[in-house]
Amino acid sequence: MRKLWENAIRNRGRNSPEASEEQQLVAAVAVAQEIISFLRDVCDFYQDVFIRESQVSFLRLTYTLLTYELSARVRPLMIKMYEPKEHGQFSYDAGEGNETAEISSSIALQVSNPVWQLYKRLETIVEIGENLPEEVQLQSDLRGYHQWFVGGVIRWQEYVFRKSRTMIANEVQKDEFQSSSKSCGSASISSSAIELTYVFRIVTTYWQKLAWPDEAEGNSIAKQLLQQCCSLGALYTKLVITKLEVILQEKTDPKLMLLSAETCRALNNIEYVCGEIKELPGRLALDIEWGKYPVITNTTLKMEASIKKFIDTVIKKLRQTLNQAVMESCEMVNETPLLKNVLDQYLPVLDSCLTRANFERFLHKIWGVLVAIFVSIVESNCDKKNAEFFNGVFTILERTWHFFTHSSANSQGLDPQLACTEEYQKLQETLGNLKMPTEALIAKYYRERFEEQRQPGASLTARLVVLAYFTTTGNLTVEVLMANDIVKPKNYHEPTHVLPLVSSGKSPDTYVQVKLVPGEWFPNVRNQKTKIQKKNEAPVYKESFEFLISHTDTGTKSGGHLLFVLKMSHRVQADCIVGEAVLPLEELPCVEPSAVRSVTTKYLTVNLAREENEYKALKALQYRIWDKKAASFLKEGKKKRKIKL
């Protein structure tokens, strides 16, 4: 074996007994190839003879001898080649000299160079010995040969990724983001993205050809390659966004289209590279669930965040134009200034040039800005404009919503669920209140009170038992039967610690007022009240009232309510409100006069209203400082809320 080694060096013009690492590497490749030939050809020729004559395997003898001797010479050589040298640490500094890069590549485990040839020949030798007994493979000392080349893989990474960083910077600099034959979905990409993904192909193809035999160690190396590819993706994104920001700064006229086809294509490049990164685990023979690799998750999220941030910058420049268009549309109650004159000019270009993901990002961002503009308009006009103005704003908001969301007629819009943000829902609800006439808002307030009172655990100042129904003859009949569980207010005639009247040893003088609200809907109907029941903790009124209204009247159908106000009567001071109960007219039955006995008795919760800001309808009424009806209603409500329980 020693003579074979020396001959291999000498036959390549090396006469010095102290051969260099490069000379020994070339010799090792030659010797490994001769061993392969010997094991395949010579051993095959003598194998049957040795077994027949001496019952000895010639292949086993020669394999053990040759591979042991080969390991004794190659292993020290590889260890020496990849010893850490000064300034030889792995670096991605693109400014390092080409000389260092060339040195790294010459000893890298790179396809077709001597290191690669030696690695593959050792692989072949090990494969030849796979059918030999286990002890033979152990004696050969080649089983862990791949570990000798880890340094070569590191040098290859150092060389390829350093070179790739420089290449990417140059490609982005010269890329004019023109359309190419490749595409990301239905949108085209440009040359710099293609060059970067070509690097990914080089890396994954290299790893597949390398066929690292140790799975655990191979996964570790593959993850390193994955991390460095992600680093290239992050660098590419940074370079592209920086270039786009420079282009954007040069555009000062907000009326100009801020996202050209070239800019769209640059964003598509990032999206395309992002998709390629997600495919890397499978191509590197790792688990294909990329979510298991934080480096991919973090990198792709940062890349997508860079796209969103750039879109934010674009829309920020566009906001002035959008704000003016929304204002004009709302004042005119005509969507043309916003939808036709602005958005119809911008969005078709984006739709045709951006990837679906990027187009949806842009739509979602611009939709959020438009909602914010509508909110600003509402806040600045809520105490100045009337219901008619806000009805127009509501109309424009609805039309803008349909413009942005996809439907059977518009498949390119936003998913309605994604567009239905919390801000949009609050805006829609606020406008829904502001566009109502004052009477309708008052009716809505009473509906909120009714919903509040029928909730389990609602506050209680008394209970009221009533009968209420419409008759087919066109009358509303209300019978107030009795009250019980009356709680006395703290600030009415008694010390503050007195709560239930029953426990104080005194009984109240009470009566019930019956009203139809809002009063403006029932101008010809007088309020009614029961007689005062004196000193009774569970007063029985049993009084019936007739109101000349029908279940088909406008006030009834619009959302009118019966309001029962329970009061304590006092000779000196003003009567005290114990609480009120609300009953929607639309929930009352309409029966034949002969069937009134079938009407069910209602047990109503009586209480006082909470603070004003807890009722949405009252919030809208508070803005109507110019409306006498609203001001009067709010003033009356404040008097009721002064009572403490």
Side-chain angles (χ1 to χ4, degrees):
M1 182 66 184
R2 183 180 303 168
K3 187 175 293 184
L4 190 64
W5 183 268
E6 292 173 352
N7 287 338
I9 296 175
R10 190 179 302 111
N11 290 341
R12 281 153 183 80
R14 316 300 188 203
N15 297 320
S16 171
E18 298 295 331
S20 66
E21 291 177 6
E22 182 183 356
Q23 293 169 344
Q24 293 184 61
L25 181 61
V26 174
V29 173
V31 170
Q33 183 58 50
E34 292 188 34
I35 289 175
I36 291 172
S37 299
F38 188 87
L39 292 175
R40 281 179 172 170
D41 300 332
V42 177
C43 288
D44 185 59
F45 180 79
Y46 286 105
Q47 178 72 0
D48 292 341
V49 175
F50 269 69
I51 290 177
R52 186 174 60 253
E53 297 296 331
S54 56
Q55 288 78 46
V56 175
S57 170
F58 184 71
L59 176 60
R60 175 172 178 168
L61 289 174
T62 54
Y63 185 87
T64 303
L65 174 64
L66 293 175
T67 55
Y68 182 83
E69 291 292 335
L70 181 62
S71 172
R73 284 160 175 78
V74 174
R75 185 203 297 266
L77 170 63
M78 304 310 295
I79 292 174
K80 185 177 180 182
M81 282 176 57
Y82 297 124
E83 280 180 343
K85 297 180 176 59
E86 188 177 359
H87 305 304
Q89 298 300 317
F90 187 76
S91 172
Y92 287 115
D93 186 359
E96 292 186 13
N98 290 332
E99 182 179 352
T100 304
E102 289 301 324
I103 292 173
S104 296
S105 67
S106 66
I107 61 173
L109 184 53
Q110 183 170 321
V111 177
S112 299
N113 74 353
V115 180
W116 179 273
Q117 293 171 7
L118 178 59
Y119 172 82
K120 282 300 181 181
R121 281 164 174 71
L122 293 178
E123 179 183 67
T124 302
I125 293 172
V126 170
E127 288 176 354
I128 292 173
E130 283 181 350
N131 294 326
L132 294 174
E134 181 74 15
E135 62 269 18
V136 176
Q137 298 179 39
L138 291 173
Q139 290 172 5
S140 74
D141 205 24
L142 284 185
R143 171 172 283 187
Y145 73 95
H146 53 279
Q147 296 177 351
W148 310 342
F149 294 84
V150 171
V153 177
I154 293 174
R155 294 301 191 282
W156 182 83
Q157 289 185 63
E158 179 182 5
Y159 169 70
V160 168
F161 288 110
R162 182 192 295 116
K163 189 174 180 181
S164 296
R165 289 173 70 87
T166 304
M167 181 272 293
I168 290 169
N170 293 334
E171 287 296 326
V172 172
Q173 184 176 8
K174 69 181 182 180
D175 194 353
E176 296 181 356
F177 303 118
Q178 298 297 317
S179 180
S180 70
S181 57
K182 283 211 171 188
S183 64
C184 180
S186 60
S188 62
I189 59 175
S190 62
S191 60
S192 59
I194 296 172
E195 290 299 323
L196 175 56
T197 54
Y198 179 65
V199 173
F200 295 163
R201 297 293 189 279
I202 291 175
V203 172
T204 54
T205 301
Y206 166 83
W207 185 244
Q208 292 166 7
K209 288 184 177 180
L210 193 62
W212 200 262
D214 186 287
E215 183 178 358
E217 192 174 54
N219 284 341
S220 177
I221 297 173
K223 289 177 182 178
Q224 293 175 17
L225 295 174
L226 178 64
Q227 183 172 359
Q228 300 310 327
C229 286
C230 287
S231 175
L232 292 181
L235 171 65
Y236 178 78
T237 302
K238 181 179 178 180
L239 293 171
V240 170
I241 293 296
T242 300
K243 184 171 182 177
L244 292 182
E245 286 174 344
V246 172
I247 296 173
L248 186 61
Q249 288 174 359
E250 296 173 354
K251 296 183 177 181
T252 57
D253 186 352
K255 294 182 180 179
L256 294 176
M257 178 61 207
L258 298 179
L259 282 186
S260 63
E262 289 74 22
T263 303
C264 292
R265 203 164 289 118
L267 297 179
N268 294 342
N269 285 353
I270 298 174
E271 185 73 23
Y272 177 70
V273 171
C274 202
E276 290 290 302
I277 287 175
K278 292 178 181 180
E279 296 292 329
L280 286 173
R283 295 170 183 169
L284 290 170
L286 292 167
D287 194 318
I288 60 174
E289 293 186 28
W290 63 269
K292 293 185 176 181
Y293 304 100
V295 65
I296 289 186
T297 304
N298 294 337
T299 301
T300 54
L301 286 177
K302 287 179 180 178
M303 292 171 72
E304 291 168 356
S306 295
I307 295 175
K308 293 176 182 177
K309 185 178 179 180
F310 179 75
I311 290 174
D312 284 343
T313 305
V314 172
I315 295 177
K316 186 177 180 180
K317 294 191 71 173
L318 190 59
R319 180 159 185 155
Q320 180 182 347
T321 302
L322 292 174
N323 190 73
Q324 184 178 352
V326 173
M327 282 295 298
E328 290 179 9
S329 290
C330 291
E331 292 287 352
M332 299 167 55
V333 194
N334 187 327
E335 68 274 19
T336 297
L338 174 62
L339 302 187
K340 186 174 181 180
N341 296 349
V342 176
L343 297 179
D344 266 346
Q345 300 296 318
Y346 292 173
L347 298 185
V349 177
L350 302 182
D351 187 18
S352 62
C353 296
L354 287 173
T355 63
R356 180 62 188 169
N358 284 334
F359 182 61
E360 286 188 352
R361 288 190 184 104
F362 189 91
L363 279 184
H364 197 270
K365 287 288 183 179
I366 201 170
W367 170 245
V369 169
L370 285 171
V371 170
I373 291 173
F374 275 101
V375 170
S376 177
I377 290 173
V378 170
E379 289 177 347
S380 61
N381 290 282
C382 59
D383 59 349
K384 302 180 183 69
K385 301 287 188 177
N386 58 22
E388 184 180 356
F389 170 79
F390 291 109
N391 188 52
V393 176
F394 186 85
T395 299
I396 298 302
L397 178 65
E398 274 197 325
R399 292 174 184 174
T400 306
W401 158 269
H402 290 297
F403 179 87
F404 269 87
T405 54
H406 66 63
S407 62
S408 57
N410 175 25
S411 61
Q412 297 302 312
L414 285 176
D415 184 332
Q417 290 186 341
L418 293 177
C420 195
T421 61
E422 184 178 352
E423 293 78 9
Y424 170 73
Q425 292 180 61
K426 288 181 179 179
L427 172 63
Q428 194 178 38
E429 184 177 59
T430 300
L431 280 172
N433 289 330
L434 291 174
K435 75 185 184 73
M436 287 184 179
T438 298
E439 296 83 359
L441 273 177
I442 293 173
K444 183 172 182 179
Y445 161 73
Y446 284 116
R447 184 72 194 192
E448 289 184 66
R449 290 282 286 126
F450 170 71
E451 296 293 343
E452 170 196 342
Q453 289 175 344
R454 70 176 181 177
Q455 290 297 319
S459 63
L460 178 73
T461 58
R463 296 190 187 279
L464 193 63
V465 184
V466 301
L467 274 173
Y469 53 88
F470 289 101
T471 60
T472 54
T473 57
N475 290 338
L476 169 63
T477 300
V478 178
E479 187 173 353
V480 181
L481 300 177
M482 67 174 293
N484 55 30
D485 295 338
I486 299 174
V487 174
K488 188 173 182 181
K490 287 183 179 179
N491 59 347
Y492 182 71
H493 306 314
E494 294 292 344
T496 56
H497 68 276
V498 178
L499 283 178
L501 193 65
V502 175
S503 65
S504 70
K506 296 182 180 181
S507 299
D509 297 342
T510 63
Y511 65 96
V512 178
Q513 286 183 328
V514 184
K515 303 179 180 180
L516 287 171
V517 292
E520 291 79 6
W521 287 356
F522 307 96
N524 300 319
V525 177
R526 292 174 51 249
N527 297 334
Q528 304 282 355
K529 68 177 181 179
T530 66
K531 295 175 183 177
I532 297 174
Q533 297 296 318
K534 295 186 176 184
K535 296 181 175 54
N536 195 333
E537 61 188 42
V540 176
Y541 305 104
K542 209 166 187 181
E543 292 189 46
S544 182
F545 305 101
E546 295 287 334
F547 297 92
L548 297 178
I549 63 168
S550 166
H551 69 283
T552 60
D553 286 351
T554 303
T556 304
K557 293 191 296 183
S558 299
H561 291 73
L562 270 171
L563 177 64
F564 300 90
V565 184
L566 177 62
K567 290 187 175 183
M568 287 185 181
S569 177
H570 195 270
R571 294 179 182 179
V572 180
Q573 299 184 15
D575 292 349
C576 171
I577 297 176
V578 177
E580 58 187 19
V582 180
L583 190 58
L585 294 177
E586 64 184 19
E587 297 203 2
L588 302 183
C590 181
V591 298
E592 295 287 345
S594 59
V596 295
R597 292 183 179 275
S598 65
V599 178
T600 305
T601 303
K602 295 186 179 295
Y603 297 84
L604 305 180
T605 296
V606 177
N607 62 16
L608 291 170
R610 301 191 298 262
E611 295 298 321
E612 286 182 352
N613 58 8
E614 296 189 43
Y615 301 97
K616 296 171 183 176
L618 287 186
K619 289 181 183 178
L621 286 170
Q622 287 170 359
Y623 292 125
R624 303 193 177 188
I625 57 179
W626 41 266
D627 190 325
K628 292 182 180 180
K629 293 177 185 177
S632 176
F633 180 78
L634 292 171
K635 184 178 180 180
E636 184 66 25
K638 286 180 180 178
K639 290 180 181 178
K640 297 177 184 178
R641 282 184 283 275
K642 284 183 179 179
I643 304 299
K644 294 182 180 179
L645 298 177

